[in-house]
Amino acid sequence: MVGGLEGIWAGRALEETRQVLGGGSSQPGWLTRYGESAREFHRQLGHRLMGVTMQYIALGHGGEALLGEARQIGHIYAQSLQERGETLAQALTILFFFRDNMLESALHLPEAAQLRAEANQHLFRRLRDVFNAVELAIVERYEPPRELPAGNR
């Protein structure tokens, strides 16, 4: 079913993100810290995440394997950002930029695609699930879990 609701959302989200990233003074400051090879690496990773997200949205329910892949992508993002010297706060700021663009695109879909409220709620929930998985993976990469003292297990 990839191509329905998720296709409409993805097209809109990609268009809006490209406009912001390509446009002069409205460009996020963190973007200027990256050369073309780093941008290309992150662009390809973003396309991979978009593919996973579209597949996950297309499912009516379930999709743990896709969320696992989203977590892997989050770990790769975090590793790349750590290697570039980005702090956890900076890494999350970058992720929030993309997450917010994706969610805002979903909010504008009902009017653009004449969606029923239930369909848009499904889209929003599925997007939230994917981004929660990625965000937690980034935090895990920056701050590996600590062993709890024996009395707190």
Side-chain angles (χ1 to χ4, degrees):
M1 180 178 147
V2 173
L5 169 64
E6 64 281 354
I8 295 168
W9 163 76
R12 185 177 190 119
L14 286 172
E15 180 182 323
E16 290 178 10
T17 301
R18 283 185 188 126
Q19 286 176 354
V20 173
L21 292 179
S25 64
S26 65
Q27 233 178 21
W30 50 262
L31 188 61
T32 61
R33 295 194 301 263
Y34 298 102
E36 190 52 42
S37 65
R39 287 184 188 197
E40 183 57 29
F41 174 79
H42 285 264
R43 190 176 301 122
Q44 289 177 6
L45 204 52
H47 284 287
R48 183 174 158 203
L49 182 58
M50 181 66 82
V52 167
T53 303
M54 289 176 63
Q55 291 175 54
Y56 187 73
I57 292 168
L59 295 176
H61 58 282
E64 264 313 304
L66 292 168
L67 290 179
E69 191 170 345
R71 283 188 287 276
Q72 284 181 316
I73 293 168
H75 283 285
I76 294 167
Y77 265 127
Q79 179 179 353
S80 172
L81 294 170
Q82 281 180 313
E83 288 170 358
R84 287 176 170 70
E86 300 286 359
T87 65
L88 175 57
Q90 290 167 324
L92 290 175
T93 297
I94 294 167
L95 179 66
F96 294 163
F97 167 81
F98 289 103
R99 180 204 61 197
D100 293 349
N101 268 338
M102 302 299 118
L103 294 176
E104 286 176 21
S105 295
L107 289 175
H108 296 291
L109 276 185
E111 63 221 31
Q114 293 137 11
L115 292 179
R116 293 188 331 263
E118 308 85 54
N120 204 47
Q121 287 173 344
H122 170 78
L123 172 64
F124 196 83
R125 285 184 188 122
R126 299 300 269 186
L127 287 171
R128 180 200 59 206
D129 291 348
V130 169
F131 277 100
N132 285 350
V134 173
E135 289 168 20
L136 287 172
I138 288 172
V139 170
E140 288 168 359
R141 175 74 189 186
Y142 273 84
E143 298 180 4
R146 291 179 276 160
E147 266 308 302
L148 291 175
N152 292 348
R153 291 183 195 173

